[in-house]
Amino acid sequence: MNKSAEVYRIVSEIPKGNVMTYGQIGNIVCIHPRLVGQRLYANTDPESIPCHRVVNSLGGVAEKYAFGGGEVQNQKLRKEGVEFIGNRVNLEKCLYKRNH
């Protein structure tokens, strides 16, 4: 499986109400977190691959979120029940920890 397909498979498994970080996904796939972001930016199927559920290591949304910017990503996460502290996701509560 190529790296993009692996990234998309992992992201498609993140349950509603949870997030993963670029770094978590990068560690699983063995690529730099920025490359995870590049692959998600190129996502052509956001319904099946919910890239809005991926945030940075501090719980911040992507200001350059490909499907409407950071505010849209923030709204999608809140609608799914993701808890925020200020403008960051509460990673202690909402971080999805999957097994490799």
Side-chain angles (χ1 to χ4, degrees), residues 14-27:
I14 304 170
K16 285 183 179 179
N18 294 108
V19 299
M20 287 183 78
T21 67
Y22 298 103
Q24 277 181 291
I25 296 167
N27 285 338

Side-chain angles (χ1 to χ4, degrees), residues 1-16 18-31 36 39-40 48-51 53-54 96-100:
M1 182 181 300
N2 71 42
K3 299 294 183 182
S4 292
E6 286 185 71
V7 167
Y8 294 153
R9 180 183 55 77
I10 292 164
V11 173
S12 69
E13 295 171 359
I14 304 170
K16 285 183 179 179
N18 294 108
V19 299
M20 287 183 78
T21 67
Y22 298 103
Q24 277 181 291
I25 296 167
N27 285 338
I28 294 166
V29 179
C30 299
I31 61 173
V36 173
R39 283 163 169 83
L40 294 179
S48 299
I49 304 161
C51 55
R53 295 183 188 146
V54 182
Y96 180 58
K97 298 173 183 103
R98 73 182 281 284
N99 296 324
H100 294 285

